[in-house]
């Protein structure tokens, strides 16, 4: 007779318990136990202990089967884990962390990370094969829009598997927050006003009502007209990845030395500043000829500007020339700081409008949300639960499929919030993302490479770069430890067929098989694997935090990030004035619509999981758990450095503080 001590733990999440019957079967290398009832009542956070008697020693325990049965009412159960102590005292851990629904049997593997080649028992190989076959049936690809990354084939959040849906707590918080903010603006009358703002000061009243969220918007409202703040946002605003060091002016932007001499100062000239790396350029060519929409029956307009900036002797960036189209000529003047105040301010506001589209559709939607979903679906389709990389990556996809499915239902769908609140048509929105994907490179997704490629290594006050590199290196160090623990060398990487299928699925369905992107379709070495995993985890955590969390801060004051423009770009100078400006930026109702979206997208909801926090203990070996603790210590050091820098700063850059950075794209 062999007696096994078993402990079954229910997760400590809302509604995790059940009053359905739960039984268990132990599966060892030399046989299996009979089915043994655990209990008919489980409470959240509770553990149930029992003994399972067997006629003989089962050998190492490799699987447990959980059987859920109901007599009358369905009551889903969330199992945290199972621990089994063998007669000789050996402890086996079985991380589960999943919902069991209906009358079902779920097989849970022992928690050691195993690649396919590591599984020697046929029963484990078969379990692996069945699990992936079921996942590939459940998680299928579909095309949401032509030329976009593919996405999960579901029509609404109601079709999602329970294990990838929002928790009850978060779902309630999310819905309640949306209703609350919508109602508060509605009661204020903003959503009913299809007219221009009466003044610049009146625009501040909309965010002064969102208590506790008005500190940065107030700063923006005070400084938005200043060239220094305009330049600052290309480094540390919502879209810090589109500015390049400019060593030669493109022919389509014919700025002359005479035009900018006054901005550069008497001791230098344009040629010298270009040569010495102090001239920078932002080009919104992706918006060229994008069709514009109507809002409330009124035609809107879209521009594809170019902006030249200069780094002064004080280290600050300032704009020195703006052209509002890709085609130079008499009807596309180059605006300068020396122009009339309203001409220059309007030109900068057109750049901010272009930046709104670039940020929302490419930097935010495409390069974090859509890619994050691709990484998540490919992981579910090709990496079984026991694979070490599944254990590493899954926390970084928490809620991503839910939030993206929701976005396709209410945010980026025809008639959705972006369609209603922005100046491009729905077809234009689709075209921008399509063009953006065609331009994405692997280099641009790997932060250290991207910084070098854009020539931005030496620019002072580039907090996005500095904090981002710190986080990239911390993630890379953690990933290096995990990969070297499970992969003995390059041959183990190239020979991992599940891994290779995963990478190929990402290349094919995320980047549409475009080899010119430089995105790998296979991984041959340990170094290549470490870099790719670091990119995936960084994109889903730090990069999303950087481009998401400040949306309300920088967008609440409408002239700083207008979502539409109601007059065409000026074709000559000397025609701009205050009322024309107020009649160009979004009307009151459009502003309110967009603001509700921005508040929600940059909110901190309950049930967050911060970067490096892994309460679901998927790794059971000592080494990975030590690596997690080392990762957390390094993140705390980064947090302390950021908070020390921010202590005496009026405008704090805190978006990549580990305390503000979630593991995953969940909002």
């Amino acid at each position: 007779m062999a007696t096994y001590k078993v402990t079954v733990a229910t997760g400590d999440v809302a509604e995790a318990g059940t009053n359905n019957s739960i039984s268990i079967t132990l599966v060892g290398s030399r046989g299996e136990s009979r089915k043994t009832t655990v209990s008919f009542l489980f409470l959240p956070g509770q553990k149930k202990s029992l003994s399972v008697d067997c006629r003989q020693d089962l050998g190492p325990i490799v699987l447990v089967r959980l059987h859920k049965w109901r007599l009358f009412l369905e009551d889903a159960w969330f199992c945290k884990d199972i621990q089994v102590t063998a007669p000789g005292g050996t402890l086996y851990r079985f991380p589960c962390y999943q919902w069991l629904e209906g009358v079902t049997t779920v097989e849970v593997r022992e928690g050691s990370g195993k690649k396919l080649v590591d599984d020697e028992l046929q029963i484990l190989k078969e379990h692996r094969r069945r699990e992936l076959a079921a996942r590939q049936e459940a998680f299928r690809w579909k095309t949401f829009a032509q030329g976009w990354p593919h996405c999960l084939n579901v029509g609404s959040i109601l079709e999602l598997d329970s294990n990838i849906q929002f928790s009850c707590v978060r779902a309630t918080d999310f819905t309640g927050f949306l209703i609350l903010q919508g109602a508060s603006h509605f009661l204020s009358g903003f959503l009913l006003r299809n007219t221009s703002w009466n003044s610049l000061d009146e625009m501040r009243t909309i965010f002064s009502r969102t208590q506790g969220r008005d500190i940065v918007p107030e700063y923006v409202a005070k400084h938005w007209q200043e060239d220094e703040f305009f330049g600052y946002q290309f480094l540390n605003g919502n879209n810090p990845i589109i500015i390049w060091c400019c060593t030669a002016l493109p022919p389509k932007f014919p700025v002359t030395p005479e035009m900018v001499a006054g901005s550069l100062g008497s001791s230098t000239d344009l040629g010298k500043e270009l040569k010495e790396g102090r001239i920078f350029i932002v080009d919104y060519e992706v918006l060229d000829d994008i069709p514009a929409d109507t809002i409330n029956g009124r035609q809107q307009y879209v521009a594809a500007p170019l902006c030249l900036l200069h780094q002064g002797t004080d280290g600050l960036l300032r704009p020195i020339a703006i052209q509002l189209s890709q085609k130079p000529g008499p009807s596309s003047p180059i605006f300068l700081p020396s122009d009339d105040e309203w001409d220059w301010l309007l030109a900068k506001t057109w750049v901010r409008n272009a930046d709104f589209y670039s940020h929302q559709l490419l930097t935010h939607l495409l390069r974090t949300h859509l890619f994050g979903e691709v990484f998540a679906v490919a992981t579910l389709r090709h990496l079984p639960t026991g694979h070490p990389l599944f254990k590493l990556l899954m926390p970084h996809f928490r809620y991503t499929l839910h939030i993206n499915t929701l976005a396709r239902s209410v945010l980026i769908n025809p008639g959705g919030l972006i369609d209603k609140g922005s100046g491009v048509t729905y077809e234009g929105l689709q075209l921008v993302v399509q063009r953006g994907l065609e331009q994405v490179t692997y280099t641009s997704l790997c932060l250290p490479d991207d910084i070098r490629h854009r020539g931005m290594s030496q620019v002072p006050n580039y907090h996005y770069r500095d904090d981002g590199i710190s986080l990239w290196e911390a993630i890379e160090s953690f990933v290096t430890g995990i990969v070297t623990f499970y992969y003995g060398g390059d041959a183990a990487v190239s020979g991992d067929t599940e891994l290779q299928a995963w990478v190929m699925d990402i290349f094919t369905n995320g980047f549409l098989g475009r080899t010119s992107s430089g995105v790998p379709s296979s991984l041959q070495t340990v170094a290549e694997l470490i870099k790719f995993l670091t990119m995936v985890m960084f994109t889903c955590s730090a990069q999303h935090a950087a481009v998401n969390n400040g949306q309300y801060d920088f967008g609440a004051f409408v002239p700083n990030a207008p979502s539409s423009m109601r007059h065409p770009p000026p074709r000559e100078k000397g025609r701009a004035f205050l009322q024309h400006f107020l009649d160009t930026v979004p009307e009151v109702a459009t502003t309110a619509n967009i603001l509700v979206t921005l508040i929600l997208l940059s909110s901190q909801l309950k049930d967050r999981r911060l970067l490096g926090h892994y309460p679901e203990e998927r790794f059971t070996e000592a080494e990975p758990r030590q690596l997690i603790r080392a990762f957390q210590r390094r993140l705390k050091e980064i947090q302390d450095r950021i908070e020390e820098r921010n202590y005496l700063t009026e405008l704090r850059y805190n978006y990549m503080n580990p305390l503000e950075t979630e593991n995953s794209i969940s909002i």
Side-chain angles (χ1 to χ4, degrees):
M1 178 74 71
T3 300
Y4 293 82
K5 303 293 185 184
V6 179
T7 303
V8 179
T10 299
D12 190 15
V13 296
E15 303 191 18
T18 186
N19 55 20
N20 290 174
S21 172
I22 304 296
S23 304
I24 192 169
T25 302
L26 307 183
V27 181
S29 62
R30 295 202 291 270
E32 59 184 67
S33 72
R34 60 183 173 79
K35 186 162 74 172
T36 306
T37 299
V38 181
S39 179
F40 288 90
L41 179 64
F42 289 84
L43 299 176
Q46 188 181 62
K47 293 181 179 180
K48 295 279 189 179
S49 298
L50 68 151
S51 295
V52 176
D53 295 325
C54 303
R55 291 180 179 176
Q56 62 180 34
D57 189 297
L58 301 177
I61 307 300
V62 295
L63 287 173
V64 297
R65 294 194 191 106
L66 294 171
H67 314 275
K68 180 174 168 294
W69 182 82
R70 65 170 187 262
L71 185 60
F72 296 113
L73 296 178
E74 163 61 17
D75 191 7
W77 176 51
F78 185 80
C79 177
K80 177 188 175 187
D81 62 18
I82 306 98
Q83 297 193 8
V84 178
T85 304
T90 303
L91 176 64
Y92 299 94
R93 294 190 180 93
F94 297 81
C96 184
Y97 301 106
Q98 59 179 301
W99 289 95
L100 279 68
E101 297 174 316
V103 176
T104 187
T105 294
V106 171
E107 291 186 336
V108 184
R109 279 187 62 127
E110 190 274 323
S112 301
K114 301 285 187 185
K115 307 184 295 298
L116 176 58
V117 71
D118 300 327
D119 276 342
E120 296 176 356
L121 294 176
Q122 191 58 38
I123 190 173
L124 292 180
K125 292 178 181 178
E126 183 59 23
H127 174 266
R128 212 174 182 104
R129 187 195 64 76
R130 286 200 314 271
E131 182 182 25
L132 288 183
R135 292 240 212 97
Q136 287 167 16
E137 180 65 30
F139 299 99
R140 292 174 171 266
W141 295 106
K142 77 171 180 181
T143 300
F144 175 71
Q146 204 61 40
W148 285 35
H150 297 160
C151 65
L152 182 64
N153 186 13
V154 292
S156 77
I157 56 173
L158 301 177
E159 298 176 36
L160 291 172
D161 183 284
S162 300
N163 292 299
I164 58 174
Q165 286 184 354
F166 279 179
S167 67
C168 298
V169 171
R170 173 168 282 246
T172 304
D173 195 28
F174 190 90
T175 308
F177 205 100
L178 191 59
I179 293 169
L180 173 70
Q181 292 296 342
S184 66
H185 286 304
F186 185 84
L187 292 172
S188 303
F190 292 121
L191 287 168
L192 300 175
R193 281 179 56 189
N194 294 323
T195 57
S196 297
W197 291 94
N198 293 319
S199 67
L200 293 172
D201 276 342
E202 190 196 18
M203 295 177 184
R204 299 163 83 142
T205 60
I206 196 166
F207 59 75
S208 65
R209 297 165 194 263
T210 53
Q211 294 181 353
R213 298 292 303 276
D214 56 347
I215 297 170
V216 178
E218 279 292 352
Y219 182 96
V220 173
K222 287 177 186 171
H223 299 281
W224 71 283
Q225 299 184 45
E226 299 168 7
D227 287 352
E228 292 83 359
F229 181 64
F230 180 89
Y232 169 90
Q233 291 183 83
F234 287 113
L235 300 179
N236 304 308
N238 289 326
N239 199 12
I241 66 171
I242 59 162
I243 185 169
W244 290 64
C245 183
C246 180
T247 54
L249 288 174
K252 65 182 179 181
F253 195 15
V255 177
T256 66
E258 293 76 24
M259 287 179 183
V260 296
S263 298
L264 300 181
S266 57
S267 61
T268 189
D269 58 50
L270 182 57
K272 181 181 179 185
E273 295 301 289
L274 282 166
K275 186 177 180 181
E276 296 188 1
R278 289 192 289 269
I279 299 294
F280 300 86
I281 192 167
V282 180
D283 185 353
Y284 297 97
E285 184 178 18
V286 71
L287 298 174
D288 196 25
D289 291 327
I290 292 294
D293 206 354
T294 60
I295 297 179
N296 297 323
R298 177 168 178 172
Q299 183 62 49
Q300 309 294 303
Y301 298 89
V302 179
L306 294 124
C307 178
L308 208 63
L309 299 104
H310 174 243
Q311 179 190 325
T313 53
D314 56 4
L316 301 180
L317 288 184
R318 297 174 181 84
I320 57 173
I322 293 171
Q323 180 179 290
L324 297 181
S325 83
Q326 296 288 308
K327 303 175 186 69
S331 61
S332 183
I334 294 176
F335 292 91
L336 305 168
S338 55
D339 290 339
D340 177 81
E341 175 190 3
W342 287 105
D343 280 343
W344 181 235
L345 192 59
L346 184 60
K348 289 193 293 181
T349 305
W350 272 103
V351 172
R352 297 298 306 152
N353 169 245
D355 201 71
F356 173 88
Y357 297 126
S358 168
H359 165 256
Q360 289 293 359
L361 299 179
L362 302 180
T363 302
H364 184 210
L365 174 63
L366 172 65
R367 296 171 66 97
T368 62
H369 279 264
L370 300 188
F371 289 160
E373 179 167 5
V374 167
F375 303 149
V377 173
T379 300
L380 287 163
R381 286 174 57 82
H382 295 289
L383 300 180
T385 308
H387 199 291
L389 301 187
F390 182 90
K391 296 172 181 288
L392 173 70
L393 292 173
M394 278 311 289
H396 298 280
F397 307 138
R398 185 172 185 255
Y399 298 152
T400 299
L401 298 180
H402 188 124
I403 197 66
N404 280 12
T405 303
L406 205 55
R408 284 189 286 274
S409 303
V410 301
L411 198 61
I412 58 172
N413 57 308
L417 289 169
I418 296 294
D419 190 22
K420 277 198 278 191
S422 74
V424 298
T425 63
Y426 186 69
E427 294 71 26
L429 179 155
Q430 291 181 313
L431 186 56
V432 172
V433 175
Q434 182 182 326
R435 288 180 182 177
L437 179 58
E438 290 170 355
Q439 296 172 6
V440 168
T441 64
Y442 190 41
T443 293
S444 71
L445 295 174
C446 299
L447 182 66
D449 297 346
D450 180 53
I451 294 296
R452 284 191 296 271
H453 187 59
R454 291 190 289 116
M456 299 297 293
S457 300
Q458 303 303 320
V459 183
N461 309 309
Y462 197 3
H463 305 315
Y464 161 78
R465 174 200 61 209
D466 299 338
D467 296 353
I469 292 292
S470 293
L471 290 174
W472 177 280
E473 291 175 348
I475 293 170
E476 183 181 53
S477 176
F478 173 46
V479 167
T480 298
I482 295 290
V483 168
T484 52
F485 180 71
Y486 288 105
Y487 289 85
D490 295 344
V493 172
S494 60
D496 186 345
T497 54
E498 292 167 339
L499 167 65
Q500 299 303 333
W502 174 71
V503 177
M504 178 57 82
D505 211 16
I506 290 171
F507 176 70
T508 304
N509 288 289
F511 300 91
L512 307 187
R514 187 170 59 85
T515 53
S516 60
S517 68
V519 174
S521 57
S522 68
L523 298 170
Q524 300 302 315
T525 68
V526 167
E528 288 176 2
L529 176 57
I530 289 169
K531 182 174 183 176
F532 195 83
L533 291 170
T534 303
M535 179 275 293
V536 168
M537 290 168 59
F538 182 86
T539 297
C540 295
S541 56
Q543 184 65 18
H544 181 254
V547 304
N548 177 79
N549 295 357
Q551 291 186 88
Y552 179 76
D553 286 349
F554 289 104
F557 186 65
V558 63
N560 191 57
S563 64
S564 67
M565 299 291 264
R566 295 181 290 152
H567 280 295
R571 297 164 64 91
E572 55 185 320
K573 299 184 181 184
R575 295 297 185 94
F577 53 97
L578 173 58
Q579 191 57 50
H580 174 76
F581 185 90
L582 294 173
D583 290 339
T584 298
V585 297
E587 61 194 14
V588 179
T590 304
T591 303
N593 263 317
I594 287 292
L595 204 61
V596 170
T597 307
L598 297 185
I599 290 170
L600 191 63
L601 292 179
S602 55
S603 296
Q604 293 184 0
L605 299 184
K606 296 173 185 173
D607 199 19
R608 292 196 307 161
R609 295 271 173 87
L610 295 178
L611 180 60
H613 288 254
Y614 304 112
E616 296 181 350
E617 296 178 350
R618 296 178 182 272
F619 288 107
T620 58
E621 303 98 320
E623 177 69 13
R625 293 155 77 93
Q626 290 171 2
L627 290 167
I628 288 171
R629 290 192 289 273
F631 183 35
Q632 292 169 341
R633 288 193 296 272
R634 189 156 177 177
L635 291 172
K636 181 64 170 68
E637 292 169 3
I638 294 169
Q639 175 195 327
D640 291 344
R641 283 204 304 271
I642 290 172
E643 291 176 354
E644 179 69 24
R645 179 193 68 211
N646 285 341
Y647 184 66
L648 296 174
T649 308
E650 185 179 5
L651 184 59
R652 300 175 178 185
Y653 187 77
N654 209 41
Y655 304 119
M656 300 178 91
N657 185 334
L659 270 184
E660 305 292 329
T661 302
E662 289 191 59
N663 268 330
S664 63
I665 299 164
S666 68
I667 185 71

